[in-house]
Amino acid sequence: MVEFPDAEVFEIKKTKLNSPVILAGFVGAGLVGPVAINHIISKLEMEEIAVMRSKYLPPSTVFMRGRLRHPFRFYANSEGTICAIICEITLKMEGLYYLVSSILDWAAQNGSKEIVILDGVASSSHDGKAYCAAEEDLVRTMQDRDISMIPQGFITGIPGGILNECLTREIRGLTLLAHANKEAPDSAAAATLIEALNRFYEMDIDTAGLRENEKRIHEEFGELSQRYAEHREETSGMYM
């Protein structure tokens, strides 16, 4: 029997990457990360290039409109300058260090110098603002782009693990956050973070679909949102 690895980024398509900026979204409040990353993947017409294999991932798969897909996927744009990581399952604390190391090892091998985590902060409502946490020089630049600094807070789970490990590696880690509905998928909060990305990286990702198709997004991500609510104490979170 072939034993599952502790964690391995398994490439399904060989792609030349050019020191890409990596955008990542994991299950959290309002499913802001997965909703935003899914929209970015669609708008930039990114291709799936790899999946995460690990014995610490729950034995689950995801299907959308009847199509099966791996729950922890890696994408790249055609130029190889932007990568996206999307995880559509809740993760337990056990084995997270292996997952974190595998992601950052893969990033280093491909010359990436920056990873951006999109996440939500559980709230009763979205206030229309984007917030950031990063190293001091980046925070100042973001504030010039109308992205507010978080004075203090606490990040747990795989987002916290990635950001913590970035402090000891030659890759900059930062997170963009938005207050998000703690009970349901929050497409407005996801749109706010993408608009912050547009300002900071001078991108032009249209967010109208996120704001106009709230019902469809709620249906597509509703079950995952329920699973997150059931396991909220064990998974990632941002507190500020």
Side-chain angles (χ1 to χ4, degrees):
M1 180 181 295
V2 177
E3 184 177 354
F4 263 69
D6 289 326
E8 172 193 17
V9 180
F10 181 78
E11 294 185 347
I12 60 176
K13 181 178 181 179
K14 196 64 180 175
T15 306
K16 178 175 173 52
L17 299 178
N18 301 306
S19 301
V21 171
I22 300 173
L23 311 176
F26 303 96
V27 173
L31 299 186
V32 172
V35 170
I37 294 296
N38 185 65
H39 186 77
I40 291 167
I41 289 167
S42 175
K43 289 298 179 182
L44 297 185
E45 299 181 344
M46 303 176 87
E47 288 191 289
E48 186 177 348
I49 59 170
V51 298
M52 176 66 77
R53 295 183 69 239
S54 172
K55 63 185 180 184
Y56 296 106
L57 295 181
S60 305
T61 191
V62 175
F63 61 90
M64 193 72 72
R65 300 189 186 96
R67 180 177 172 234
L68 288 173
R69 61 189 187 188
H70 195 280
F72 202 141
R73 307 182 301 281
F74 294 65
Y75 290 80
N77 66 346
S78 57
E79 297 83 9
T81 56
I82 302 173
C83 287
I85 301 173
I86 183 169
C87 180
E88 297 172 326
I89 49 175
T90 55
L91 302 172
K92 295 187 176 182
M93 292 297 181
E94 183 186 9
L96 280 190
Y97 286 114
Y98 291 110
L99 298 175
V100 166
S101 291
S102 183
I103 289 169
L104 291 179
D105 288 346
W106 175 81
Q109 289 163 12
N110 288 289
S112 178
K113 300 299 182 185
E114 199 157 292
I115 183 165
V116 186
I117 295 174
L118 308 182
D119 207 350
V121 182
S123 178
S124 57
S125 62
H126 175 52
D127 61 6
K129 296 179 181 179
Y131 300 86
C132 70
E135 294 181 37
E136 187 175 355
D137 59 332
L138 276 179
V139 168
R140 287 196 299 268
T141 305
M142 286 184 166
Q143 287 180 308
D144 292 340
R145 306 278 196 292
D146 195 28
I147 303 170
S148 303
M149 177 188 70
I150 301 169
Q152 61 183 18
F154 191 69
I155 303 174
T156 64
I158 193 166
I162 289 173
L163 295 170
N164 196 44
E165 185 67 9
C166 283
L167 294 173
T168 65
R169 298 200 186 204
E170 294 182 1
I171 182 170
R172 296 198 300 186
L174 59 142
T175 182
L176 291 175
L177 301 143
H179 288 290
N181 189 323
K182 59 186 177 183
E183 303 295 340
D186 197 327
S187 55
T192 293
L193 293 191
I194 293 174
E195 288 158 6
L197 278 177
N198 284 341
R199 295 194 300 275
F200 187 66
Y201 288 103
E202 298 182 351
M203 302 167 74
D204 187 25
I205 301 170
D206 180 45
T207 60
L210 282 174
R211 297 189 182 280
E212 295 169 359
N213 298 309
E214 184 177 351
K215 182 178 179 181
R216 175 183 59 79
I217 292 167
H218 192 282
E219 290 173 352
E220 288 183 354
F221 288 90
E223 183 175 348
L224 179 56
S225 181
Q226 179 61 37
R227 288 181 178 271
Y228 168 67
E230 292 170 357
H231 299 278
R232 187 155 38 211
E233 298 303 320
E234 302 177 38
T235 57
S236 66
M238 169 68 204
Y239 308 92
M240 69 182 193

